[in-house]
Each structure stands twice: as C-alpha cells, then as structure tokens.
Amino acid sequence: MKTPNKKIKKELTIEQKINRRNFISFGAFTVFAAGAFEGWRWLYKSPTETAGITGEAHRPLRKALNKTEIFFRRLVFNENHLVKTYPKEMAAKRVRYNSDIGMEAKKKFDPATWKLQVIKKGGEILQVSIDELKALPKTEIVYDFKCVEGWDQIQHWAGVKFSDFIKHFQLEDYAKMQYVGMETPDKGYYVGIDMPSAMHPQTLLAYEVNDHPIPLNHGAPLRLIIPVKYGIKNLKRIGSINFSNTRPRDYWAEEGYDYYSGL
Amino acid sequence: MKTIKEKHSLAMRWCHWVNFPILSIMIWSGLLIYWANDIYSITIFGHTFVKFFPDWFYKTLGIPQRLAEGMAFHFLFMWFFTLNGVFYILYTIISGEWRELVPKRNSFKEAWLVLLHDLHIRKTAPPQNKYNAAQRIAYTAIIIMGVGSVITGLAIYKPVQFYYLTWLCGGYHLARIFHFALTIGYVLFFVIHIVQVILAGWKNFSSVISGFEVVNETPKPAIQTVNDDENAK
C-alpha cells in the first residue's frame, strides 16, 4: 500500500537520504578544509612589509598586530592603571642582564663625560648632566620587570620621573606631541614611545639600581625604566631624546616586533 | 532496518573542526614564543625529570629564534580561538546541549567504570546517551581549559591593564606557568582523543562530520505492514 504523495516529488529512501547527507557534509568538509589550507598557505607565504618604522613581519600579520594593539589600548589602556609594586626586600640582588645592543662601543664609554642631549625645535640641543638630573625629585620603584622573551624579575630602580623631567626643563610643549624617541649615544639602539606611556607616573629616567649607580652593563649612567612596556623598550644608556608626531624609529619594531609593545 | 539517528548539531561540528586547526596554530606559535626562554622543567631535589622539550624536537620543527613571528601569529589567531570558543559556549547554553555535556552527579563514579571498560578490565560499560560519563568530564574540562587559556593569556599579554586578571591567576609568573600547563593539557587530551576516535571506529568519526549516525533497528511489525517493497530493502 502506498501512502498518498503530498508532493509530486518522490520521498527519498533511507539509503538515499544517508548518501545524500554524507555527500553534502563530506563534500562541504573537504571544500572548507581545502579553503582553510589555502588560506593558511596564503598567510604563511604572504610578502613581508616594506621595511620602514616597522619591518620583518608578514603584511597581514602586521595589520593584525596593529589592530589588536589599538583595540586593547582603546579597551583597557588607562594612565591611572599603575604597575604593581613590591616591598624592597623582594627585589633581585643580581639584576638580570640580557643584552648590550647599542653599548658595544668600540672606544670605551666614559659615563663621567656623558651628557643627555634633548633635541629641541630648530636643532637646538639641551644638554643635561647627571648631577642636574639627580638634583630633581627622586622616585623609586620596585616592580616586576617583564621581558618579551617571557622571563620576569622583581627589580628596584630609582631616578627622576619622566614627567618631572619634562616639567623641570619646561618641555611641556614637546610633551604635547605624540611620541618620544630615545637613542643610545652610538645610535645602535633606539626606541619610540607613545607619549601617554612616557608620561605615565611610573616611567623613570633611572640612574640607580638597588640604591647604587647603574653599572655599565645595565645602561650607566642613565636608562629608561618604563614599567608599562616590555623590556625591549627600556633603553639602556640614553644618549639623546627627541619628540615628534610621527613614530620615531624603533630597533625591535624593525625586527618584526609590535611597535607599541605595551603591557 | 536502517534509521538515521541525529547526533551532532551543525554548530557543534563547525566549532569542533574550526577549533582543531586554530588550536594547532596556537600551540605551534606558542612554542615559537616559549623557545625564547624555555625555562620550564619538572625538577625535584635538583634532578630534572622532564624538560619541555628535548632539543631534537625543536630542531625538527625548526622552532628556534622565531619569537617575533610566534607572537605575531599567536596574537592574530587568539582572536579566532576566543571567538570560536565564545560562540560554542553560547550556543551550547542557548540550545540546551549543555545537558548532554556537563557531568552529572554520578558521572565521576561512572567515568571510572568507563575507564575500566576502555582498558578491557571490565566487560560492560555503563549505559549512556550521547556522551558517556568520561566524555562528559573530558569535554567539559576542555571547555574550561579553553576559558583558562584565554584568561591566563590576557593576564600575561597585558598584565598592567588587566591587572585584576593577573591577580586572579596568582601573578604574572604563575599565570604564565598555568598558560603553559594548559597547553600540555591540550596535547595530552589530543593524544587520548585521537586514540579513542580510532578505537571507536569510522561510524563515530563520520558522525562528527555528517552529524548523524546510521542505526540498525529491528523493524516493528506495525511499520512493516505499511511499508511497501521500496522502503523495505
């Protein structure tokens, strides 16, 4: 006996239904898998960006990095978010030493003759001695220094707040610009910092570690301690400071790292 | 007589197969990052039992010295990993499929029996619906692990801005260890999962792509009378 057909189309048998559904699902699966594989190959072999302020990364990855950074900065960056600090006793006695890029000077570097050069408009250079900096209010910080490689260490630094330095030398007009650039005296290492991070209350021009003057391998006589950034932005042996509205050159951004590298 | 038994929803299958390559990429790019400072080992009384991972492993995969690349891939694919996970969790809750997934009160006791059965120590396994007790525990755990990876990941990605997450994870250092341990967890899950899938056979595997299983049911006489020869074969 046949049930009366409501549709003119013949009802599929179970066997046909199984085949049909298997065909569709396995077919779609194969198509998607091939598409995903092709997409991955495209991404993995995509050309690298033209080297400039940033470099080395695949173009789509660089785009994603920039967008991701901007997203998180807008979502959560807050100048009032202070980095967690610790009691002095917790600070490492032997501060980890990781790199000497920009400090492998051919002739011996003498901190005694060093002066910080602040490059102002019209090529005017403000020269600041370490004693002038030490005369400014001293700020100490004991915090967890974080390296982009993954290690971290609680360290104790002291120096002058970058914002205090700006105020004292009447650089407020420069601080209205978007970026600060800092370079070692030999120009071998250089970083670009966005102004909000530079003016963060915990950003220091540091001249002391564990209550002693900074040793040569940690960037004597003056280094940047910027707790809202990875270690790669904490320039050792600051030679010059400049200001701009475009991103200053940055050593590790040229090597493929994110320009902002914020925490 | 064969019948079609619906098993996995389209959304579940989609999330499952999207997650698989993404998680692989996350583990691979995570290793690129980890190699920059591969400090973790299981060391008890000065003797190192496990070093993650042996040197030949890195060399085979060509992993050394690619930190920047690893970070770039990791921070792109974390979006897809997170979005896929969020979509899956929302779907599971809204559709009510969580009922098939979340362990029940007796699941932990039953999972033991399932394990004994799988190891061929016990002849029969407890009766089950879509997932057995051991699967319920494992699949729920892997979802929680996914959430854990996102939280610990954010905690070490932006420890200043997400200071509360970092605090929740017991600090930056511990968060990184958790993040790493979860990855080890995925790898272990993956190995067991694959072995189980192979043991369960083609029918089970096929259902995660097609969504249904074919079940042979002994035909009931009432149906037989209305069946014509076309349907009876």
Side-chain angles (χ1 to χ4, degrees):
Chain A
M1 190 183 112
K2 210 165 183 150
T3 43
N5 272 333
K6 274 171 195 162
K7 292 175 211 158
I8 304 152
K9 216 170 148 190
K10 217 177 174 188
E11 183 95 7
L12 293 173
T13 65
I14 288 286
E15 201 65 51
Q16 278 172 323
K17 272 187 193 161
I18 292 170
N19 285 340
R20 195 185 137 88
R21 284 184 60 176
N22 269 337
F23 178 77
I24 292 171
S25 50
F26 277 84
F29 185 82
T30 312
V31 169
F32 277 119
F37 180 73
E38 276 307 308
W40 170 252
R41 266 208 347 187
W42 166 81
L43 178 63
Y44 198 71
K45 294 190 169 172
S46 57
T48 48
E49 59 193 314
T50 13
I53 285 303
T54 57
E56 296 286 313
H58 292 288
R59 253 180 250 163
L61 287 178
R62 170 65 65 201
K63 248 189 200 166
L65 273 180
N66 290 349
K67 289 257 156 62
T68 303
E69 278 299 336
I70 289 166
F71 173 83
F72 279 104
R73 210 185 317 174
R74 287 203 182 130
L75 181 74
V76 288
F77 183 80
N78 186 328
E79 286 163 40
N80 301 320
H81 282 182
L82 292 184
V83 175
K84 190 186 173 190
T85 54
Y86 298 83
K88 252 187 205 178
E89 307 84 70
M90 285 180 74
K93 296 285 167 292
R94 294 184 59 183
V95 179
R96 181 160 172 167
Y97 160 77
N98 213 47
S99 159
D100 64 352
I101 304 163
M103 302 197 302
E104 326 102 313
K106 279 156 205 121
K107 45 181 189 174
K108 220 174 155 230
F109 175 76
D110 181 12
T113 61
W114 169 95
K115 279 210 167 166
L116 176 65
Q117 308 201 313
V118 182
I119 298 157
K120 297 169 92 173
K121 274 174 206 151
E124 189 195 336
I125 292 174
L126 169 71
Q127 305 237 16
V128 183
S129 73
I130 195 74
D131 290 331
E132 283 178 89
L133 289 171
K134 283 182 179 171
L136 296 179
K138 181 164 140 184
T139 303
E140 291 186 51
I141 187 167
V142 182
Y143 81 107
D144 197 15
F145 183 97
K146 295 173 193 73
C147 178
V148 73
E149 291 171 359
W151 58 267
D152 63 300
Q153 189 182 48
I154 297 175
Q155 299 175 351
H156 172 205
W157 298 90
V160 54
K161 265 190 209 178
F162 186 77
S163 55
D164 287 349
F165 163 83
I166 292 286
K167 232 178 278 165
H168 182 266
F169 289 97
Q170 289 156 10
L171 299 164
E172 283 95 343
D173 282 349
Y174 292 93
K176 281 177 194 148
M177 296 170 107
Q178 287 182 44
Y179 295 96
V180 194
M182 295 189 188
E183 306 200 349
T184 53
D186 69 352
K187 314 267 179 226
Y189 197 171
Y190 33 91
V191 293
I193 311 275
D194 51 287
M195 196 57 78
S197 299
M199 297 298 281
H200 187 274
Q202 290 172 310
T203 301
L204 303 182
L205 297 174
Y207 46 75
E208 275 181 12
V209 58
N210 287 338
D211 292 321
H212 292 289
I214 295 177
L216 274 175
N217 64 345
H218 282 296
L222 189 74
R223 71 168 296 179
L224 180 65
I225 286 295
I226 180 159
V228 293
K229 301 271 185 205
Y230 278 123
I232 51 173
K233 291 280 192 185
N234 289 245
L235 184 78
K236 290 173 179 174
R237 195 188 285 176
I238 306 172
S240 63
I241 296 180
N242 58 76
F243 303 88
S244 75
N245 279 320
T246 54
R247 291 185 293 178
R249 64 188 194 133
D250 185 278
Y251 185 89
W252 288 108
E254 289 173 6
E255 298 294 323
Y257 290 84
D258 170 60
Y259 190 89
Y260 184 71
S261 286
L263 291 170
Chain B
M1 196 199 107
K2 284 179 177 174
T3 50
I4 291 176
K5 190 184 160 202
E6 301 296 337
K7 203 172 173 194
H8 300 295
S9 62
L10 178 64
M12 176 273 169
R13 287 176 277 149
W14 172 266
C15 290
H16 175 268
W17 290 113
V18 165
N19 186 60
F20 168 60
I22 290 177
L23 189 56
S24 306
I25 292 169
M26 288 307 278
I27 291 173
W28 164 77
S29 57
L31 278 173
L32 294 183
I33 298 171
Y34 175 67
W35 174 256
N37 185 47
D38 60 333
I39 43 162
Y40 296 148
S41 61
I42 296 174
T43 303
I44 301 164
F45 298 121
H47 179 74
T48 303
F49 290 94
V50 181
K51 178 107 171 66
F52 307 103
F53 295 82
D55 283 340
W56 60 260
F57 181 82
Y58 287 112
K59 286 193 183 109
T60 319
L61 288 178
I63 279 170
Q65 309 282 324
R66 289 162 65 187
L67 172 61
E69 181 191 1
M71 291 174 86
F73 278 107
H74 214 63
F75 297 152
L76 170 57
F77 281 86
M78 70 173 184
W79 285 111
F80 305 127
F81 178 78
T82 308
L83 292 174
N84 189 51
V86 167
F87 173 70
Y88 177 65
I89 291 172
L90 287 180
Y91 166 77
T92 309
I93 292 169
I94 292 165
S95 70
E97 275 185 35
W98 63 271
R99 288 187 191 89
E100 296 278 353
L101 199 68
V102 174
K104 292 183 287 193
R105 201 173 296 161
N106 58 353
S107 285
F108 292 92
K109 209 173 78 189
E110 261 185 45
W112 179 245
L113 303 178
V114 174
L115 179 70
L116 290 179
H117 172 75
D118 286 349
L119 296 173
H120 298 277
I121 294 168
R122 203 172 181 276
K123 275 220 177 79
T124 53
Q128 64 175 75
N129 229 337
K130 186 169 164 187
Y131 298 128
N132 66 39
Q135 282 174 310
R136 279 173 180 266
I137 292 169
Y139 297 162
T140 303
I142 206 82
I143 295 169
I144 295 169
M145 284 165 68
V147 174
S149 280
V150 172
I151 290 173
T152 53
L154 288 175
I156 52 182
Y157 174 53
K158 295 276 179 237
V160 178
Q161 311 304 338
F162 288 122
Y163 59 91
Y164 42 92
L165 288 182
T166 316
W167 175 83
L168 197 73
C169 298
Y172 182 77
H173 211 206
L174 206 54
R176 187 169 185 250
I177 290 176
F178 283 144
H179 198 67
F180 182 80
L182 285 168
T183 311
I184 299 290
Y186 293 130
V187 175
L188 291 179
F189 174 89
F190 184 74
V191 172
I192 298 169
H193 192 56
I194 293 296
V195 170
Q196 294 278 36
V197 166
I198 292 170
L199 291 178
W202 172 255
K203 227 171 76 171
N204 174 68
F205 175 79
S206 152
S207 71
V208 185
I209 292 176
S210 66
F212 65 91
E213 244 176 36
V214 179
V215 187
N216 276 311
E217 273 176 2
T218 39
K220 287 170 195 161
I223 296 170
Q224 240 176 359
T225 52
V226 291
N227 263 346
D228 58 11
D229 41 10
E230 183 191 61
N231 277 345
K233 62 183 168 189

